[in-house]
Amino acid sequence: MRAQRETEVGAARRTLLVAAPFVAGAVAVALAFTALHDALPSKVATHFTADGTATSFSSPGSALAKHCLIFVIEFVGLLVAAFSIKHRTGGQRSLVVFCWALASATAYGFIADLQASTQSSGSQATSLPLYQLAIAVGVGVAVAAIVWVLSRRRS
């Protein structure tokens, strides 16, 4: 009975460690959406080509739902990975660092998308420069470094 209880606690902890970054990312995007809501046009850009031109549009509420759905998909995929790790010490830590990096880069991208949409009237003129992708990767790397250092202090 005790071994089963320890496994349940371990499973709950793993789930929390993987979920926390994606919940934080979704909350950050929702807060940005709330702050920018009055400035958003009736159609928000939700997809961009490599040159930064918007190719897909949704209503603001639908765009927020799509953004949150992507956080859920990322969470589920990485939760499966968390439960498939055999050696829970090193692999688990790396996975949690990756979760924070991915969630923060995704959140930055979605917030930049919302910000770009405020600069247009919901038309094809909406664009998101390619350097925003590099900034999103930089945000992810910076957050990963911070989480890695913090996790070393705790262990």
Side-chain angles (χ1 to χ4, degrees), residues 24-113:
V27 167
V29 171
L31 288 173
F33 176 82
T34 302
L36 297 171
H37 187 271
D38 292 337
L40 291 172
S42 61
K43 294 291 183 182
V44 175
T46 55
H47 186 267
F48 297 87
T49 60
D51 69 352
T53 306
T55 58
S56 179
F57 297 86
S58 295
S59 69
S62 178
L64 178 62
K66 288 177 185 179
H67 294 343
C68 290
L69 180 62
I70 290 174
F71 282 115
V72 170
I73 292 168
E74 290 175 345
F75 162 68
V76 169
L78 289 167
L79 185 62
V80 169
F83 281 99
S84 68
I85 293 175
K86 299 292 182 210
H87 303 285
R88 292 193 174 116
T89 53
Q92 189 73 26
R93 179 174 171 224
S94 298
L95 182 69
V96 169
V97 168
F98 178 74
C99 287
W100 278 103
L102 179 62
S104 60
T106 302
Y108 176 85
F110 290 155
I111 293 169
D113 171 18

Side-chain angles (χ1 to χ4, degrees), residues 99-153:
C99 287
W100 278 103
L102 179 62
S104 60
T106 302
Y108 176 85
F110 290 155
I111 293 169
D113 171 18
L114 290 171
Q115 180 64 32
S117 292
T118 64
Q119 317 254 324
S120 72
S121 60
S123 66
Q124 296 287 9
T126 304
S127 68
L128 189 66
L130 190 56
Y131 68 81
Q132 292 289 355
L133 178 61
I135 293 172
V137 170
V139 166
V141 169
V143 168
I146 291 167
V147 172
W148 185 263
V149 169
L150 291 175
S151 65
R152 288 189 60 92
R153 284 185 172 176

